[in-house]
Amino acid sequence: MSNVLEILIFASEKAARIARSCASNNNSILIAEKSNDANPRFDKDFKTIADVLAQEAAKSLIVSYIPELKDYVRGEECSDIGGVTISLKETLQGTIDLLKIILPEETAKCMAEAAHSDIENMECGTIPNLGPIDYSDLGVWIDPIDGTAEFIAGVRGEAKPGHGLQCVTVLIGAYKRSTGEPVVGVINQPFYNGGTGRVIWGINYGDIKLCSHEKSTSSPRKIILMSSAENENVINKFQDLGWEIQSVPGAGHKLLKVALGEATAYIVSKGTTFRWDTCGPHSILSSLGGDITNFTDFSLVKYNDPDNLDTQMYCNKHGIIAFINQHVFEEIQQVLKEFV
């Protein structure tokens, strides 16, 4: 039986290679403004052809290993860009020919080669055996390039210090369709360590709770990550109680920092994250003893929404609280009582 975790790692690396192909060759990246699938937090929300191709390549790889998931792998991006429907063709030349419709030939070739690259020689480390898994009860959410604005700025060489490519992540998570519970998650940082990249994974399946990263046992500063556009009253309340508030780009980047123990929690009071942002990281946090709950009633975020809904219906509309320590969550609950 195929190892779901290994397959999700392979899929994340396929997306990561496509992202790196744009940056390493200083390629032009076709950019389109989103419409119906836009994030309402932003005045303008964009996607690139790298987002779309990375998603389609990751989907294709997952389904090639687990055909039962054909109708249950979902992603952030609509597959149309520049009037062309993007897909991974059976041959390298077929994908080049498709991409050439909207990209310069050299760029099309570079991206297609990344999409068709042999992934099975990737060094994944020791991958645990999950045992029997009921594929008929699995679904997958993909965010092919989280932090698209940072990706665009980084490729163009226009990123501010502390921003740009280092904040870009690929997020892939599997969940149980029967319960909505996240069970396997992967965060891939394509540009970590100068483009070497790294993968953090977590398993929260039945009695199995494993993570590639060992949970920090130190007592870090009380740091909460929030958007600069967060509710000012919430920010002030935590600061008055001695918490340090930091703002960094990218939902995936913030969630990774929580998983790694570089931040205590990530709080969003409004509906500005989506299922594809949180599904993969949620499994990782759960594997470490944490969770992602709704901001308003502290119930767990679930991922088994019906298919073919309007994009905004996949929003975590009640906000989120992400953490790895239960005692921290209890303290946050006490602070937030007056706001929920």
Side-chain angles (χ1 to χ4, degrees):
M1 183 174 290
S2 300
N3 188 312
V4 173
L5 172 59
E6 187 172 38
I7 292 165
L8 297 191
I9 292 173
F10 285 168
S12 77
E13 183 59 20
K14 185 77 79 168
R17 290 182 183 184
I18 292 168
R20 284 194 291 265
S21 76
C22 295
S24 62
N25 291 280
N26 197 26
N27 282 326
S28 58
I29 49 174
L30 182 70
I31 299 170
E33 184 176 350
K34 296 184 181 182
S35 52
N36 294 335
D37 53 344
N39 188 330
R41 175 186 160 199
F42 305 112
D43 292 332
K44 291 182 181 291
D45 193 12
F46 297 96
K47 65 181 178 183
T48 72
I49 192 166
D51 290 90
V52 181
L53 182 62
Q55 177 173 291
E56 295 309 305
K59 276 186 181 181
S60 177
L61 186 146
I62 293 168
V63 172
S64 72
Y65 280 97
I66 312 177
E68 298 94 323
L69 295 182
K70 181 178 182 294
D71 296 322
Y72 302 101
V73 180
R74 299 185 279 182
E76 175 181 6
E77 307 298 351
C78 167
S79 59
D80 291 346
I81 186 167
V84 176
T85 299
I86 301 301
S87 63
L88 189 71
K89 299 302 183 181
E90 290 187 7
T91 67
L92 171 61
Q93 190 58 50
T95 302
I96 293 173
D97 291 341
L98 174 65
L99 298 179
K100 279 192 328 187
I101 299 172
I102 48 178
L103 290 174
E105 183 170 358
E106 188 57 35
T107 302
K109 183 173 182 291
C110 185
M111 293 183 70
E113 286 175 345
H116 284 270
S117 62
D118 181 9
I119 211 76
E120 292 186 0
N121 60 1
M122 176 188 177
E123 177 54 54
C124 296
T126 302
I127 302 296
N129 187 350
L130 303 186
I133 289 181
D134 181 6
Y135 292 143
S136 68
D137 192 31
L138 281 189
V140 175
W141 280 111
I142 300 173
D143 188 342
I145 299 179
D146 183 72
T148 297
E150 300 303 320
F151 177 65
I152 294 169
V155 170
R156 290 175 166 175
E158 300 170 352
K160 298 183 291 185
H163 289 238
L165 297 177
Q166 64 181 315
C167 303
V168 172
T169 54
V170 178
L171 312 172
I172 305 183
Y175 62 92
K176 287 186 177 181
R177 301 206 312 265
S178 58
T179 64
E181 178 188 13
V183 292
V184 182
V186 172
I187 302 176
N188 190 314
Q189 270 189 299
F191 302 99
Y192 177 76
N193 193 25
T196 303
R198 69 171 168 179
V199 173
I200 307 296
W201 54 259
I203 302 167
N204 174 46
Y205 191 82
D207 295 330
I208 303 174
K209 288 186 180 291
L210 294 171
C211 184
S212 59
H213 176 77
E214 192 170 325
K215 185 175 180 178
S216 173
T217 57
S218 62
S219 299
R221 305 194 316 272
K222 295 168 69 173
I223 299 172
I224 291 183
L225 302 178
M226 294 186 187
S227 163
S228 56
E230 188 51 75
N231 183 322
E232 192 171 317
N233 293 327
V234 173
I235 292 175
N236 292 338
K237 180 69 173 181
F238 277 102
Q239 287 178 325
D240 290 344
L241 293 171
W243 292 76
E244 181 180 343
I245 305 301
Q246 293 184 3
S247 177
V248 298
H253 185 218
K254 294 183 184 76
L255 290 163
L256 176 62
K257 282 183 168 292
V258 176
L260 296 178
E262 296 173 8
T264 315
Y266 169 34
I267 295 178
V268 183
S269 66
K270 307 167 187 175
T272 56
T273 65
F274 288 76
R275 304 292 193 254
W276 48 78
D277 293 315
T278 54
C279 185
H282 195 161
S283 293
I284 297 172
L285 297 181
S286 295
S287 77
L288 293 166
D291 250 317
I292 298 181
T293 73
N294 290 302
F295 177 89
T296 52
D297 62 6
F298 310 129
S299 61
L300 295 179
V301 175
K302 301 291 185 181
Y303 298 92
N304 56 343
D305 308 85
D307 202 4
N308 297 320
L309 298 178
D310 180 80
T311 299
Q312 298 306 320
M313 298 302 291
Y314 299 121
C315 177
N316 296 315
K317 63 182 180 180
H318 300 297
I320 63 168
I321 304 170
F323 58 93
I324 57 172
N325 292 307
Q326 290 294 330
H327 69 86
V328 167
F329 178 52
E330 292 166 6
E331 189 173 345
I332 289 172
Q333 282 181 289
Q334 292 300 314
V335 176
L336 292 177
K337 275 185 174 179
E338 66 182 84
F339 298 103
V340 297

